[in-house]
Coordinates of all heavy atoms in Angstrom, one line a residue:
S66 N -16.3 0.7 17.3 CA -15.1 0.4 16.5 C -13.9 0.2 17.4 O -12.7 0.2 16.8 CB -14.9 1.5 15.4 OG -14.8 2.7 16.1
I67 N -14.0 0.1 18.6 CA -12.8 -0.2 19.5 C -12.9 -1.6 20.1 O -14.1 -2.0 20.4 CB -12.5 0.9 20.5 CG1 -13.6 1.0 21.5 CG2 -12.1 2.2 19.9 CD1 -13.2 1.7 22.8
N68 N -11.9 -2.2 20.6 CA -11.9 -3.5 21.2 C -11.8 -3.3 22.7 O -11.5 -2.1 23.2 CB -10.9 -4.4 20.7 CG -9.5 -3.9 20.9 OD1 -9.2 -3.3 21.9 ND2 -8.6 -4.1 19.9
A69 N -12.0 -4.4 23.5 CA -12.0 -4.3 25.0 C -10.7 -3.8 25.5 O -10.7 -3.1 26.5 CB -12.4 -5.7 25.5
A70 N -9.6 -4.3 24.9 CA -8.3 -3.9 25.4 C -8.1 -2.4 25.3 O -7.5 -1.8 26.3 CB -7.2 -4.7 24.5
V71 N -8.5 -1.8 24.2 CA -8.3 -0.4 24.1 C -9.2 0.4 25.1 O -8.8 1.3 25.8 CB -8.7 0.1 22.7 CG1 -8.8 1.6 22.6 CG2 -7.7 -0.4 21.7
H72 N -10.5 -0.1 25.3 CA -11.4 0.5 26.3 C -10.8 0.4 27.7 O -10.8 1.4 28.4 CB -12.7 -0.3 26.2 CG -13.8 0.2 27.1 ND1 -14.1 -0.5 28.2 CD2 -14.6 1.3 27.0 CE1 -15.1 0.2 28.8 NE2 -15.4 1.2 28.1
E73 N -10.2 -0.8 28.0 CA -9.6 -0.9 29.3 C -8.4 -0.1 29.5 O -8.1 0.2 30.7 CB -9.4 -2.4 29.6 CG -10.6 -3.3 29.7 CD -11.8 -2.7 30.6 OE1 -11.4 -2.4 31.8 OE2 -12.9 -2.5 30.2
A74 N -7.7 0.2 28.5 CA -6.5 0.9 28.6 C -6.7 2.4 28.9 O -5.7 3.2 29.3 CB -5.7 0.8 27.3
I75 N -8.0 2.9 28.8 CA -8.3 4.3 29.0 C -8.9 4.4 30.5 O -10.0 3.7 30.7 CB -9.3 4.8 28.0 CG1 -8.9 4.4 26.6 CG2 -9.5 6.4 28.2 CD1 -7.8 5.2 25.9
P76 N -8.3 5.1 31.4 CA -9.0 5.2 32.7 C -10.3 5.8 32.6 O -10.6 6.6 31.7 CB -8.0 6.1 33.4 CG -6.7 6.2 32.7 CD -7.1 5.9 31.3
L77 N -11.2 5.3 33.5 CA -12.7 5.6 33.5 C -12.9 7.2 33.3 O -13.7 7.6 32.5 CB -13.3 5.1 34.7 CG -14.9 5.3 34.7 CD1 -15.5 4.5 33.7 CD2 -15.4 4.7 36.2
K78 N -12.1 7.9 34.1 CA -12.4 9.4 34.2 C -12.0 10.1 32.8 O -12.3 11.3 32.6 CB -11.7 10.0 35.4 CG -10.2 9.9 35.4 CD -9.7 10.7 36.7 CE -8.2 10.8 36.7 NZ -7.3 9.9 36.2
L79 N -11.3 9.4 32.0 CA -10.8 10.0 30.7 C -11.7 9.6 29.5 O -11.5 10.0 28.4 CB -9.3 9.6 30.4 CG -8.3 10.3 31.4 CD1 -6.9 9.9 30.9 CD2 -8.4 11.8 31.5
R80 N -12.7 8.6 29.8 CA -13.4 8.1 28.7 C -14.6 9.1 28.3 O -15.3 9.5 29.2 CB -14.0 6.7 29.1 CG -13.0 5.6 29.2 CD -13.7 4.4 29.5 NE -12.7 3.4 30.1 CZ -13.1 2.4 30.9 NH1 -14.4 2.2 31.2 NH2 -12.1 1.6 31.4
H81 N -14.7 9.3 27.1 CA -15.9 10.0 26.6 C -16.5 9.0 25.5 O -16.0 8.9 24.4 CB -15.6 11.4 25.9 CG -16.8 12.0 25.3 ND1 -17.8 12.6 25.9 CD2 -17.2 12.1 24.0 CE1 -18.7 13.1 25.1 NE2 -18.4 12.7 23.9
V82 N -17.6 8.3 25.9 CA -18.1 7.3 25.0 C -19.3 7.9 24.2 O -20.3 8.3 24.8 CB -18.6 6.1 25.9 CG1 -19.4 5.1 25.1 CG2 -17.5 5.5 26.6
A83 N -19.2 7.9 23.0 CA -20.2 8.4 22.0 C -19.8 8.0 20.5 O -18.6 7.7 20.3 CB -20.3 9.9 22.2
T84 N -20.8 8.1 19.7 CA -20.5 7.8 18.3 C -19.5 8.8 17.8 O -19.6 10.0 18.0 CB -21.8 7.9 17.4 OG1 -22.6 7.0 17.9 CG2 -21.5 7.7 16.0
S85 N -18.4 8.4 17.1 CA -17.4 9.3 16.6 C -18.0 10.3 15.6 O -18.8 9.9 14.7 CB -16.3 8.5 15.8 OG -15.6 9.3 15.0
P86 N -17.6 11.6 15.7 CA -18.2 12.6 14.8 C -17.7 12.3 13.4 O -18.3 12.7 12.3 CB -17.6 13.9 15.2 CG -16.5 13.5 16.1 CD -16.7 12.2 16.7
I87 N -16.6 11.6 13.2 CA -16.0 11.3 11.9 C -17.0 10.4 11.1 O -17.1 10.4 9.9 CB -14.6 10.6 12.1 CG1 -13.7 11.6 12.8 CG2 -14.1 10.1 10.7 CD1 -12.5 10.9 13.4
V88 N -17.7 9.4 11.9 CA -18.6 8.5 11.2 C -19.6 9.3 10.4 O -19.9 8.9 9.2 CB -19.2 7.6 12.3 CG1 -20.4 6.8 11.7 CG2 -18.2 6.7 12.9
L89 N -20.2 10.3 11.0 CA -21.3 11.1 10.2 C -20.7 11.9 9.2 O -21.3 12.2 8.1 CB -22.1 11.9 11.2 CG -23.3 11.3 11.8 CD1 -24.1 12.3 12.7 CD2 -24.2 10.7 10.8
L90 N -19.4 12.4 9.4 CA -18.8 13.2 8.3 C -18.5 12.4 7.0 O -18.6 12.8 5.9 CB -17.4 13.7 8.8 CG -17.5 14.9 9.8 CD1 -16.1 15.2 10.4 CD2 -18.0 16.1 9.0
K91 N -18.3 11.1 7.3 CA -18.1 10.2 6.2 C -19.5 9.8 5.6 O -19.6 9.8 4.3 CB -17.5 8.9 6.6 CG -15.9 9.0 6.7 CD -15.3 7.9 7.5 CE -15.2 6.6 6.6 NZ -14.7 5.4 7.5
A92 N -20.5 9.5 6.4 CA -21.7 9.1 5.9 C -22.5 10.1 5.1 O -23.2 9.8 4.1 CB -22.6 8.6 7.1
V93 N -22.4 11.4 5.5 CA -23.1 12.5 4.8 C -22.0 13.0 3.8 O -21.1 13.6 4.1 CB -23.5 13.6 5.8 CG1 -24.2 14.7 5.0 CG2 -24.5 13.0 6.8
K94 N -22.3 12.7 2.5 CA -21.4 13.0 1.5 C -21.3 14.5 1.2 O -22.4 15.2 1.3 CB -21.7 12.3 0.2 CG -21.1 10.8 0.0 CD -21.3 10.0 1.2 CE -20.8 8.6 1.1 NZ -21.0 7.8 2.3
N95 N -20.1 15.1 1.0 CA -20.1 16.5 0.6 C -20.4 16.6 -0.9 O -20.5 15.6 -1.6 CB -18.7 17.1 1.0 CG -17.6 16.5 0.3 OD1 -17.7 16.1 -0.9 ND2 -16.4 16.4 0.9
A96 N -20.5 17.8 -1.4 CA -21.0 18.0 -2.8 C -20.1 17.3 -3.7 O -20.5 16.7 -4.8 CB -21.0 19.5 -3.1
H97 N -18.7 17.3 -3.5 CA -17.8 16.7 -4.5 C -18.0 15.2 -4.4 O -18.0 14.5 -5.4 CB -16.4 17.1 -4.0 CG -15.4 16.4 -4.9 ND1 -15.1 16.8 -6.2 CD2 -14.5 15.3 -4.6 CE1 -14.2 15.9 -6.7 NE2 -13.8 15.1 -5.8
E98 N -18.1 14.6 -3.2 CA -18.3 13.2 -3.1 C -19.6 12.8 -3.8 O -19.7 11.7 -4.5 CB -18.3 12.7 -1.6 CG -16.9 12.8 -0.9 CD -17.0 12.7 0.5 OE1 -18.0 13.1 1.2 OE2 -16.1 12.1 1.2
A99 N -20.6 13.5 -3.6 CA -21.9 13.2 -4.2 C -21.8 13.2 -5.7 O -22.3 12.3 -6.4 CB -23.0 14.1 -3.7
S100 N -21.2 14.3 -6.3 CA -21.2 14.3 -7.7 C -20.2 13.3 -8.3 O -20.4 12.7 -9.4 CB -20.8 15.7 -8.2 OG -19.5 16.0 -7.9
S101 N -19.1 12.9 -7.6 CA -18.2 11.8 -8.0 C -18.9 10.5 -8.0 O -18.7 9.7 -8.9 CB -17.0 11.8 -7.1 OG -16.3 12.9 -7.2
M102 N -19.7 10.3 -6.9 CA -20.5 9.0 -6.9 C -21.5 8.9 -8.1 O -21.6 7.9 -8.6 CB -21.2 8.9 -5.5 CG -20.3 8.5 -4.4 SD -19.7 6.8 -4.5 CE -20.9 5.8 -3.7
R103 N -22.1 10.0 -8.4 CA -23.0 10.0 -9.5 C -22.3 9.7 -10.8 O -22.7 8.9 -11.6 CB -23.7 11.4 -9.7 CG -24.8 11.6 -8.6 CD -25.7 12.9 -9.0 NE -26.8 12.9 -8.1 CZ -26.8 13.5 -7.0 NH1 -25.7 14.2 -6.6 NH2 -27.8 13.5 -6.2
A104 N -21.1 10.4 -11.0 CA -20.3 10.1 -12.2 C -19.9 8.6 -12.4 O -20.0 8.1 -13.4 CB -19.2 11.1 -12.3
C105 N -19.4 8.1 -11.3 CA -18.8 6.7 -11.4 C -20.0 5.7 -11.6 O -19.8 4.7 -12.2 CB -17.9 6.3 -10.3 SG -18.7 5.8 -8.8
H106 N -21.2 6.1 -11.2 CA -22.3 5.2 -11.4 C -22.9 5.1 -12.8 O -23.4 4.2 -13.3 CB -23.5 5.5 -10.4 CG -23.3 4.8 -9.1 ND1 -22.6 5.3 -8.1 CD2 -23.8 3.6 -8.7 CE1 -22.6 4.5 -7.1 NE2 -23.3 3.5 -7.4
V107 N -22.6 6.2 -13.5 CA -23.0 6.2 -15.0 C -22.0 5.3 -15.7 O -22.4 4.5 -16.5 CB -23.0 7.7 -15.6 CG1 -23.6 7.6 -17.0 CG2 -23.8 8.6 -14.8
R108 N -20.8 5.3 -15.5 CA -19.8 4.5 -16.1 C -20.0 3.1 -15.7 O -19.9 2.1 -16.4 CB -18.3 5.0 -15.8 CG -18.0 6.4 -16.2 CD -16.5 6.6 -16.1 NE -15.9 6.1 -15.0 CZ -15.7 6.8 -13.8 NH1 -16.2 8.0 -13.7 NH2 -15.3 6.2 -12.7
D109 N -20.3 2.9 -14.4 CA -20.5 1.5 -13.9 C -21.7 0.9 -14.6 O -21.8 -0.2 -14.9 CB -20.7 1.6 -12.3 CG -20.6 0.1 -11.7 OD1 -19.4 -0.3 -11.6 OD2 -21.6 -0.4 -11.3
G110 N -22.8 1.8 -14.7 CA -24.0 1.3 -15.5 C -23.7 0.9 -16.9 O -24.2 -0.2 -17.4
A111 N -22.8 1.7 -17.6 CA -22.5 1.3 -18.9 C -21.7 0.0 -19.0 O -21.9 -0.9 -19.9 CB -21.6 2.4 -19.6
A112 N -20.8 -0.2 -17.9 CA -20.0 -1.4 -17.9 C -21.0 -2.6 -17.7 O -20.8 -3.7 -18.3 CB -19.0 -1.3 -16.7
M113 N -22.0 -2.5 -16.8 CA -23.0 -3.6 -16.6 C -23.8 -3.8 -17.8 O -24.1 -5.0 -18.1 CB -23.8 -3.2 -15.4 CG -23.3 -3.3 -14.0 SD -23.0 -5.1 -13.6 CE -24.6 -5.8 -13.5
V114 N -24.2 -2.7 -18.5 CA -25.0 -3.0 -19.7 C -24.2 -3.7 -20.8 O -24.7 -4.6 -21.3 CB -25.5 -1.6 -20.3 CG1 -26.0 -1.7 -21.7 CG2 -26.6 -0.9 -19.3
A115 N -22.9 -3.3 -20.9 CA -22.1 -4.0 -21.9 C -21.9 -5.5 -21.5 O -22.0 -6.4 -22.4 CB -20.7 -3.3 -22.0
F116 N -21.8 -5.7 -20.2 CA -21.7 -7.1 -19.7 C -23.0 -7.8 -19.9 O -22.9 -9.0 -20.5 CB -21.3 -7.1 -18.2 CG -21.6 -8.4 -17.5 CD1 -20.7 -9.5 -17.6 CD2 -22.7 -8.6 -16.8 CE1 -20.9 -10.6 -17.0 CE2 -23.0 -9.8 -16.2 CZ -22.1 -10.8 -16.2
L117 N -24.1 -7.3 -19.6 CA -25.4 -8.0 -19.8 C -25.7 -8.3 -21.2 O -26.2 -9.4 -21.6 CB -26.5 -7.2 -19.1 CG -26.5 -7.1 -17.7 CD1 -27.5 -6.0 -17.1 CD2 -26.8 -8.4 -17.0
H118 N -25.3 -7.4 -22.1 CA -25.5 -7.5 -23.5 C -24.6 -8.7 -24.0 O -25.1 -9.6 -24.7 CB -25.1 -6.2 -24.3 CG -25.0 -6.5 -25.7 ND1 -23.8 -6.3 -26.4 CD2 -25.9 -6.8 -26.7 CE1 -24.0 -6.7 -27.7 NE2 -25.3 -6.9 -27.9
Q119 N -23.3 -8.7 -23.6 CA -22.4 -9.8 -24.0 C -22.9 -11.1 -23.5 O -22.8 -12.1 -24.2 CB -21.0 -9.5 -23.4 CG -19.9 -10.4 -24.0 CD -18.6 -10.3 -23.2 OE1 -18.4 -9.3 -22.5 NE2 -17.7 -11.1 -23.5
L120 N -23.4 -11.1 -22.3 CA -23.9 -12.3 -21.7 C -25.1 -12.9 -22.5 O -25.1 -14.1 -22.9 CB -24.5 -12.0 -20.3 CG -24.6 -13.2 -19.3 CD1 -23.3 -13.9 -19.1 CD2 -25.2 -12.6 -18.0
E121 N -26.0 -12.0 -22.9 CA -27.1 -12.5 -23.7 C -26.7 -13.1 -25.0 O -27.2 -14.1 -25.5 CB -28.1 -11.4 -23.9 CG -29.4 -11.8 -24.4 CD -30.5 -10.7 -24.5 OE1 -31.0 -10.4 -23.3 OE2 -30.8 -10.3 -25.5
Q122 N -25.7 -12.3 -25.7 CA -25.1 -12.9 -26.9 C -24.5 -14.2 -26.8 O -24.8 -15.1 -27.5 CB -24.0 -11.9 -27.4 CG -24.5 -10.6 -28.0 CD -25.5 -10.8 -29.1 OE1 -25.2 -11.5 -30.0 NE2 -26.7 -10.2 -29.0
Q123 N -23.7 -14.4 -25.7 CA -23.0 -15.7 -25.6 C -23.9 -16.9 -25.1 O -23.8 -18.0 -25.6 CB -21.8 -15.5 -24.6 CG -20.7 -14.8 -25.3 CD -19.4 -14.7 -24.4 OE1 -19.0 -13.7 -24.1 NE2 -19.0 -15.9 -23.9
I124 N -24.9 -16.6 -24.2 CA -25.6 -17.7 -23.6 C -26.9 -17.9 -24.4 O -27.2 -19.0 -24.9 CB -26.0 -17.3 -22.1 CG1 -24.8 -17.0 -21.4 CG2 -26.8 -18.5 -21.6 CD1 -23.9 -18.1 -21.0
A125 N -27.7 -16.8 -24.6 CA -29.1 -17.0 -25.1 C -28.9 -17.2 -26.7 O -29.7 -18.0 -27.2 CB -30.0 -15.9 -24.7
V126 N -28.2 -16.3 -27.3 CA -28.1 -16.3 -28.7 C -27.2 -17.5 -29.3 O -27.5 -18.3 -30.0 CB -27.6 -14.9 -29.3 CG1 -27.6 -15.0 -30.8 CG2 -28.6 -13.9 -28.8
S127 N -25.9 -17.5 -28.8 CA -24.9 -18.4 -29.3 C -24.9 -19.8 -28.6 O -24.2 -20.7 -28.9 CB -23.6 -17.9 -29.2 OG -23.5 -16.7 -29.9
N128 N -25.8 -19.9 -27.5 CA -26.0 -21.1 -26.8 C -24.6 -21.7 -26.2 O -24.4 -22.9 -26.1 CB -26.6 -22.2 -27.7 CG -27.2 -23.4 -26.9 OD1 -27.4 -23.2 -25.6 ND2 -27.5 -24.4 -27.5
Q129 N -23.8 -20.8 -25.8 CA -22.5 -21.2 -25.0 C -22.8 -21.3 -23.5 O -24.0 -20.9 -23.1 CB -21.4 -20.2 -25.3 CG -21.0 -20.0 -26.6 CD -20.1 -18.7 -26.9 OE1 -19.7 -18.1 -25.9 NE2 -19.8 -18.4 -28.1
T130 N -21.9 -21.7 -22.8 CA -22.1 -21.7 -21.3 C -20.9 -21.0 -20.7 O -19.8 -21.0 -21.3 CB -22.2 -23.2 -20.7 OG1 -20.9 -23.8 -20.9 CG2 -23.3 -23.9 -21.4
L131 N -21.1 -20.4 -19.6 CA -20.0 -19.8 -18.8 C -20.0 -20.2 -17.3 O -21.1 -20.3 -16.8 CB -20.1 -18.2 -18.9 CG -19.9 -17.6 -20.3 CD1 -20.4 -16.2 -20.3 CD2 -18.4 -17.5 -20.6
T132 N -18.9 -20.4 -16.8 CA -18.9 -20.7 -15.3 C -19.1 -19.5 -14.5 O -18.9 -18.3 -15.0 CB -17.6 -21.4 -14.9 OG1 -16.5 -20.4 -14.9 CG2 -17.2 -22.5 -15.8
E133 N -19.5 -19.7 -13.3 CA -19.7 -18.6 -12.3 C -18.4 -17.7 -12.3 O -18.4 -16.5 -12.1 CB -20.2 -19.0 -11.0 CG -21.6 -19.6 -11.1 CD -21.9 -20.5 -9.8 OE1 -21.0 -20.9 -9.1 OE2 -23.1 -20.7 -9.6
V134 N -17.3 -18.4 -12.2 CA -16.0 -17.7 -12.1 C -15.7 -16.9 -13.3 O -15.3 -15.7 -13.2 CB -14.8 -18.7 -11.8 CG1 -13.5 -18.1 -11.8 CG2 -15.0 -19.4 -10.4
E135 N -16.0 -17.5 -14.5 CA -15.9 -16.7 -15.8 C -16.8 -15.4 -15.8 O -16.4 -14.3 -16.3 CB -16.2 -17.6 -17.0 CG -15.0 -18.6 -17.2 CD -15.5 -19.7 -18.2 OE1 -16.6 -19.9 -18.4 OE2 -14.5 -20.3 -18.8
L136 N -18.0 -15.5 -15.2 CA -18.9 -14.4 -15.2 C -18.3 -13.3 -14.3 O -18.3 -12.1 -14.6 CB -20.3 -14.8 -14.6 CG -21.0 -15.8 -15.4 CD1 -22.3 -16.4 -14.6 CD2 -21.5 -15.2 -16.7
D137 N -17.7 -13.7 -13.2 CA -17.0 -12.8 -12.3 C -15.9 -12.0 -13.1 O -15.8 -10.8 -13.0 CB -16.5 -13.5 -11.1 CG -15.7 -12.8 -10.1 OD1 -15.5 -11.6 -10.3 OD2 -15.1 -13.4 -9.1
E138 N -15.1 -12.8 -13.8 CA -14.0 -12.2 -14.5 C -14.5 -11.2 -15.6 O -14.0 -10.1 -15.9 CB -13.1 -13.3 -15.2 CG -12.4 -14.0 -14.0 CD -11.8 -15.4 -14.6 OE1 -12.0 -15.8 -15.8 OE2 -11.1 -16.0 -13.8
M139 N -15.6 -11.7 -16.2 CA -16.2 -10.9 -17.3 C -16.7 -9.5 -16.8 O -16.5 -8.5 -17.5 CB -17.3 -11.7 -17.9 CG -17.4 -11.7 -19.4 SD -18.6 -13.0 -19.9 CE -20.0 -12.1 -20.4
V140 N -17.4 -9.5 -15.7 CA -18.0 -8.3 -15.3 C -16.9 -7.4 -14.7 O -16.9 -6.1 -14.9 CB -19.1 -8.5 -14.2 CG1 -18.6 -8.9 -12.9 CG2 -20.0 -7.3 -14.1
T141 N -15.8 -7.9 -14.2 CA -14.7 -7.1 -13.7 C -14.0 -6.5 -14.9 O -13.7 -5.3 -14.9 CB -13.8 -7.9 -12.9 OG1 -14.6 -8.5 -11.8 CG2 -12.6 -7.1 -12.3
A142 N -13.8 -7.3 -16.0 CA -13.1 -6.8 -17.2 C -13.9 -5.6 -17.8 O -13.3 -4.7 -18.3 CB -12.9 -7.9 -18.1
S143 N -15.3 -5.7 -17.8 CA -16.1 -4.7 -18.3 C -15.9 -3.4 -17.6 O -15.9 -2.4 -18.1 CB -17.6 -5.2 -18.3 OG -18.3 -4.3 -19.1
R144 N -15.9 -3.5 -16.2 CA -15.7 -2.3 -15.4 C -14.4 -1.7 -15.7 O -14.3 -0.4 -15.8 CB -15.8 -2.7 -13.9 CG -17.2 -3.0 -13.5 CD -17.3 -2.9 -11.9 NE -18.7 -2.7 -11.6 CZ -19.5 -3.8 -11.3 NH1 -19.1 -5.0 -11.2 NH2 -20.8 -3.5 -11.0
A145 N -13.3 -2.4 -15.9 CA -12.0 -1.9 -16.2 C -12.1 -1.2 -17.6 O -11.5 -0.1 -17.7 CB -11.0 -3.0 -16.2
E146 N -12.8 -1.8 -18.5 CA -12.9 -1.3 -19.9 C -13.6 0.1 -19.9 O -13.2 1.0 -20.6 CB -13.6 -2.2 -20.8 CG -13.7 -1.8 -22.2 CD -14.6 -2.6 -23.1 OE1 -14.9 -3.8 -22.8 OE2 -15.1 -2.1 -24.1
F147 N -14.7 0.2 -19.1 CA -15.4 1.5 -19.1 C -14.8 2.6 -18.2 O -15.3 3.7 -18.3 CB -16.9 1.2 -18.8 CG -17.6 0.7 -20.0 CD1 -17.6 -0.7 -20.3 CD2 -18.3 1.6 -20.8 CE1 -18.2 -1.1 -21.5 CE2 -18.9 1.2 -22.0 CZ -18.9 -0.2 -22.3
S148 N -13.9 2.3 -17.4 CA -13.2 3.3 -16.5 C -11.7 3.0 -16.6 O -11.0 2.8 -15.5 CB -13.7 3.2 -15.1 OG -15.1 3.5 -15.1

Side-chain angles (χ1 to χ4, degrees):
S66 61
I67 61 161
N68 60 38
V71 170
H72 183 256
E73 293 310 304
I75 315 285
L77 187 62
K78 61 178 192 324
L79 294 183
R80 290 181 202 157
H81 173 75
V82 175
T84 298
S85 162
I87 297 160
V88 169
L89 271 183
L90 284 171
K91 281 166 71 184
V93 178
K94 275 44 176 176
N95 63 34
H97 175 73
E98 290 167 326
S100 67
S101 299
M102 282 293 270
R103 282 194 174 87
C105 83
H106 274 84
V107 186
R108 301 194 314 270
D109 196 75
M113 281 293 293
V114 166
F116 164 80
L117 291 168
H118 167 250
Q119 190 189 349
L120 198 61
E121 195 173 286
Q122 285 302 307
Q123 288 187 232
I124 307 284
V126 179
S127 306
N128 200 15
Q129 298 169 7
T130 66
L131 287 164
T132 70
E133 293 164 339
V134 172
E135 287 167 338
L136 294 170
D137 174 2
E138 291 163 357
M139 220 167 107
V140 75
T141 302
S143 191
R144 287 197 160 93
E146 185 191 334
F147 279 85
S148 296

